Amino acid sequence: MSLRSRLPIAVAACALAVTALATPAVAGDEWGSDSPSASGNHQNQGQGQSQSQGQHPRLYRGVVTASSLALRSAPNRGGQIIRWAERGEVVSIFCRTNGQNIQGNRQWYLLTDGTWAWGSARYIRTTGTTPRWC
């Protein structure tokens, strides 16, 4: 992987590290769970509001469409597998970036479900608005 393709990933990783330090609630929250109270609770607290109001950046939702999806440490198939997501699992998406082309789709989503991991957008159907770029 060239320096040019690694630079946006490094920038995104730094931004995530700063965001995680500034908002420790992200690491311990239950985002991605199926319980209505977990997803509704964040909306009531203003978590989905804009950054201009000093709130945590908006998280997006997606549903895994593959029977089993490897979530990786980098937006490519060479990245270490962090965990597996199963078909129908609801995931929280922080942002998207271009990475390795997977069946005609170069976009990868950075997921925030307890661990930070990349999942190919080819196998995650977003619900609602399209995630912002990293």
Side-chain angles (χ1 to χ4, degrees), residues 12-26 51 56-57 94 116 132:
C14 290
L16 292 174
V18 169
T19 302
L21 291 174
T23 56
V26 172
Q51 290 181 9
H56 185 276
F94 185 77
W116 296 93
R132 69 182 167 277

Side-chain angles (χ1 to χ4, degrees), residues 18-120:
V18 169
T19 302
L21 291 174
T23 56
V26 172
D29 279 345
E30 299 173 318
W31 291 340
S33 74
D34 292 335
S35 75
S37 63
S39 60
N41 188 27
H42 299 291
Q43 293 300 325
N44 294 339
Q45 294 176 1
Q47 296 291 336
Q49 302 301 318
S50 71
Q51 290 181 9
S52 63
Q53 297 174 359
Q55 302 293 331
H56 185 276
R58 178 185 169 112
L59 291 179
Y60 305 85
R61 296 275 187 197
V63 178
V64 175
T65 60
S67 59
S68 188
L69 177 62
L71 303 180
R72 299 178 179 275
S73 62
N76 59 60
R77 286 188 173 157
Q80 178 183 3
I81 296 174
I82 304 295
R83 72 175 186 90
W84 291 88
E86 303 303 320
R87 182 188 315 271
E89 184 176 333
V90 176
V91 294
S92 294
I93 304 168
F94 185 77
C95 61
R96 64 184 162 136
T97 193
N98 284 327
Q100 181 179 9
N101 187 327
I102 307 296
Q103 294 186 356
N105 190 333
R106 292 194 48 173
Q107 291 186 20
W108 287 69
Y109 296 137
L110 183 58
L111 308 179
T112 64
D113 301 301
T115 59
W116 296 93
W118 294 95
S120 171

